[in-house]
Amino acid sequence: MWAVCALKSGKYATGSADKNIFIWNPKGERLVVLKGHTDCIRGLVGLEDGSLLSASNDASIRHWSETYDCLREFHGHSNYIYTIALNPALGDVFVTGSEDNTIRLWSVSQGALGEALSLPCQSIWSVACMDNGDIITGSSDALI
């Protein structure tokens, strides 16, 4: 497993190199398999409304409904997406980091928000968002 997140329903989701997302109940029983990504799942985020975002090495992000239908795909990165994080200080915004040396801001409802932000490194391995909306990155150049 390369990614895990808790869902509002009390269930949890996992994603891995087999390109699948599994939904589990609190007893550890697998309930659902979500298919659609064409490469490894690297990041998962549960949203307040019970839906789920997934980020993948296929350079896409998918928005899954609470009933596990794929509602939308987001495209913009040109290489593996390694990380995803919510930025609730900015509304329905989330941030992704990629092997293409960029981070991108997205709105769940509106899609891409502006241009990608390039960093002076090859890969963005992790992103986190502070309460004030600032974004923190961990990258392949060993800097934060």
Side-chain angles (χ1 to χ4, degrees), residues 78-95:
S78 62
N79 210 326
Y80 301 157
I81 300 173
Y82 289 129
T83 183
I84 186 169
L86 296 178
N87 198 330
L90 303 178
D92 73 343
V93 172
F94 63 96
V95 181

Side-chain angles (χ1 to χ4, degrees), residues 21 27 39 81 86 93 104 133:
I21 300 165
K27 295 178 185 178
D39 208 334
I81 300 173
L86 296 178
V93 172
R104 285 186 163 281

Side-chain angles (χ1 to χ4, degrees), residues 1-5 13-16 41-44 55:
M1 301 293 169
W2 286 7
V4 65
C5 76
T14 59
S16 64
I41 311 300
R42 293 290 194 141
L44 296 168

Side-chain angles (χ1 to χ4, degrees), residues 60-113:
S60 76
I61 301 113
R62 287 180 178 245
H63 182 201
W64 304 89
S65 73
E66 190 173 10
T67 57
Y68 315 119
D69 297 311
C70 184
L71 300 172
R72 185 172 190 182
E73 288 185 54
F74 301 90
H75 297 275
H77 285 291
S78 62
N79 210 326
Y80 301 157
I81 300 173
Y82 289 129
T83 183
I84 186 169
L86 296 178
N87 198 330
L90 303 178
D92 73 343
V93 172
F94 63 96
V95 181
T96 54
S98 172
E99 178 80 9
D100 66 9
N101 85 306
T102 68
I103 62 170
R104 285 186 163 281
L105 277 71
W106 311 83
S107 162
V108 174
S109 59
Q110 299 173 30
L113 298 174

Side-chain angles (χ1 to χ4, degrees), residues 38-57:
T38 59
D39 208 334
C40 307
I41 311 300
R42 293 290 194 141
L44 296 168
V45 173
L47 301 176
E48 260 315 295
D49 66 0
S51 63
L52 171 71
L53 294 171
S54 59
S56 170
N57 277 7

